[in-house]
Amino acid sequence: MQASPIADGIHWVGAIDWNLRDFHGYETPRGATYNAYLVVAEKVALVDTVKTQFVPEMLERIASVVPLDKVDYIVVNHVEPDHNSGLRLAMEAMPQAKVVASPGGVKGVAEYHNGLEIDQVVTGDIIDLGGRTLTFLQQPMVHWPDSMFTYCPEVCTLLCNDAFGQHLATSERFVDEIDEAVWLEELQAYYANILMPLGTQVGKAVEKIKELGWVCHVIAPSHGVAIRGVDLVTLLDRYGKWSTGHTRDKIVVAYSTMWHSTEEIAAHISSAIGSTGTDVYLCDLAVTALSKVTSELLEARGLILGSPTLHHGMLYRNAGYLQYLAGLKPKGKVAGVFGSYGWSSGATKQMTERLEAIGFEMPHPDFTWKYRATAEDFATAETWAVQFAEWSKQQG
Ligand code: FEO
């Protein structure tokens, strides 16, 4: 893939990780990119680098635009290794470049790279490249304490690192070059699985961009495709809604099953919820990525978890999902639990305790039945599900 312009004087020189399928537990069926951008004016700045193994191809792309010894600055927007693990190699290839990061970034680079020293920039600092300027805005916890945005006002381009990212490997560089449903799906998945626990900070970032009045003809994150031709207000509102935990009338039903009894009830529950007009998403945790469930849950008001009892507790897949979800701290949601048992129950009690500890509201009673569900159990499950859906609607 060649270097390619994303704005006048700004070139994408990053890397495409076509085969990435797991980003620390977040399943990435469409792969990922690590975007780095070369801002070329009288002076030249590289904004962000890439994972170590992709540094040689990033250097080739830079060299196709300007000789490596003409790069004057390297800007580190974020020290997480997907952007920063290749920094030392990049610095060795461009030793004349002055490297800058936020105060947290300076500290993080030293810690990650065994004492490597770089220079500090803070919010409001400007680097004048001669014809282009770079303005910095610290954005702590979007995604790590060091995170920072870089803005180039002359071409109205925001280089915002993880914010507005999507895990999506493609040879295209802009949202208008791919299916809209695809990038929006990945935008949502990225928010749900990476930024959901940081809603307060994301909300502040959105407000800060509005307050500064930055015109953004191009929003170029460090993952996925650059956003152009999209109404900025609509985009910021979408992020703003997610950041406040805004929900709609939707319920996710996720279950595990041993001998299909819990699965059969799950089907009746989802069908009954659908009959109330509530949007429903049904999935078996044995075959559905946790990140997909979480993405579906982002805007949902309710989560219903099903598990049969095994050894007095829930199945490990439910426990795994609850552990995954606990770290993401979903807000403003309600939950219910159901599951079959043989001679001793326990799964629904365990799931209830864990869901309440995460912060789900769940005054609705659990629903259990013994062995294989009967026609009477199906009818009871449907009534239970309708009551849950109605109760969930009232929380909106
Ligand atoms: Fe893409 Fe927080 O790193």
Side-chain angles (χ1 to χ4, degrees):
M1 209 60 57
Q2 295 178 332
S4 55
I6 61 138
D8 186 15
I10 302 184
H11 304 258
W12 175 86
V13 291
I16 303 174
D17 195 346
W18 296 97
N19 295 312
L20 186 83
R21 293 293 178 270
D22 186 309
F23 191 88
H24 54 57
Y26 167 3
E27 194 169 294
T28 53
R30 292 189 171 105
T33 71
Y34 316 112
N35 299 333
Y37 300 101
L38 197 66
V39 185
V40 182
E42 290 172 25
K43 293 184 176 178
V44 177
L46 173 66
V47 180
D48 282 318
T49 58
V50 295
K51 273 186 179 175
T52 308
Q53 63 266 40
F54 295 102
V55 169
E57 61 179 90
M58 178 188 75
L59 295 176
E60 274 184 35
R61 291 186 181 108
I62 295 170
S64 74
V65 181
V66 297
L68 293 178
D69 63 4
K70 297 297 181 194
V71 176
D72 300 283
Y73 296 95
I74 299 175
V75 176
V76 178
N77 269 335
H78 182 24
V79 299
E80 193 164 9
D82 48 336
H83 311 289
N84 167 58
S85 59
L87 178 64
R88 189 181 279 277
L89 285 178
M91 289 173 67
E92 286 170 5
M94 297 172 282
Q96 76 289 345
K98 178 178 178 177
V99 184
V100 301
S102 70
V106 171
K107 188 165 175 281
V109 165
E111 288 167 346
Y112 186 84
H113 291 288
N114 195 24
L116 187 60
E117 292 183 4
I118 62 171
D119 290 297
Q120 175 178 298
V121 290
V122 296
T123 294
D125 281 355
I126 294 173
I127 290 179
D128 188 350
L129 300 175
R132 297 280 181 278
T133 56
L134 300 180
T135 303
F136 303 107
L137 176 62
Q138 290 169 251
Q139 291 288 13
M141 302 315 294
V142 186
H143 166 222
W144 280 9
D146 59 280
S147 293
M148 183 170 82
F149 292 178
T150 298
Y151 180 61
C152 184
E154 292 78 13
V155 288
C156 302
T157 297
L158 180 64
L159 309 175
C160 49
N161 199 266
D162 280 344
F164 304 105
Q166 328 103 42
H167 276 322
L168 174 61
T170 169
S171 56
E172 307 295 351
R173 297 274 65 84
F174 289 100
V175 294
D176 53 30
E177 296 170 334
I178 64 172
D179 187 335
E180 184 183 38
V182 169
W183 78 265
L184 285 177
E185 181 182 342
E186 295 302 339
L187 185 82
Q188 177 162 332
Y190 191 91
Y191 187 93
N193 289 280
I194 299 283
L195 296 176
M196 195 192 325
L198 308 167
T200 303
Q201 292 85 352
V202 171
K204 284 182 186 170
V206 166
E207 289 308 311
K208 191 68 187 173
I209 293 171
K210 289 180 186 170
E211 179 189 318
L212 288 168
W214 281 352
V215 178
C216 298
H217 294 159
V218 178
I219 294 178
S222 286
H223 299 292
V225 283
I227 301 167
R228 70 177 175 190
V230 172
D231 179 51
L232 183 63
V233 174
T234 305
L235 182 68
L236 293 181
D237 280 354
R238 186 185 296 263
Y239 244 54
K241 275 186 175 176
W242 289 340
S243 75
T244 58
H246 176 82
T247 59
R248 62 185 176 86
D249 189 18
K250 174 180 176 181
I251 293 172
V252 170
V253 182
Y255 67 92
S256 298
T257 197
M258 287 171 66
W259 298 107
H260 304 292
S261 179
T262 301
E263 182 176 52
E264 286 176 341
I265 288 286
H268 282 266
I269 285 175
S270 64
S271 176
I273 291 170
S275 72
T276 69
T278 296
D279 187 10
V280 64
Y281 176 78
L282 172 69
C283 62
D284 180 349
L285 291 170
V287 296
T288 311
L290 304 188
S291 41
K292 172 63 176 168
V293 186
T294 305
S295 185
E296 291 289 340
L297 184 63
L298 178 64
E299 294 182 352
R301 188 161 307 133
L303 169 66
I304 295 180
L305 274 184
S307 170
T309 292
L310 176 69
H311 304 147
H312 306 290
M314 64 180 127
L315 290 194
Y316 78 93
R317 290 190 183 94
N318 295 64
Y321 183 57
L322 287 168
Q323 177 65 19
Y324 186 83
L325 198 54
L328 293 171
K329 299 183 173 66
K331 288 189 282 196
K333 297 187 191 299
V334 298
V337 293
F338 67 98
S340 67
Y341 64 94
W343 52 97
S344 156
S345 64
T348 52
K349 180 171 181 287
Q350 261 191 352
M351 290 190 291
T352 298
E353 289 170 355
R354 197 73 211 275
L355 284 161
E356 286 181 336
I358 293 171
F360 284 86
E361 190 185 347
M362 42 190 317
H364 201 67
D366 60 355
F367 172 59
T368 62
W369 66 99
K370 193 171 182 184
Y371 291 128
R372 188 160 188 191
T374 62
E376 189 178 336
D377 292 324
F378 291 148
T380 307
E382 288 167 10
T383 303
W384 181 89
V386 168
Q387 287 171 348
F388 182 92
E390 297 299 343
W391 170 68
S392 172
K393 277 185 213 292
Q394 289 166 15
Q395 313 306 309

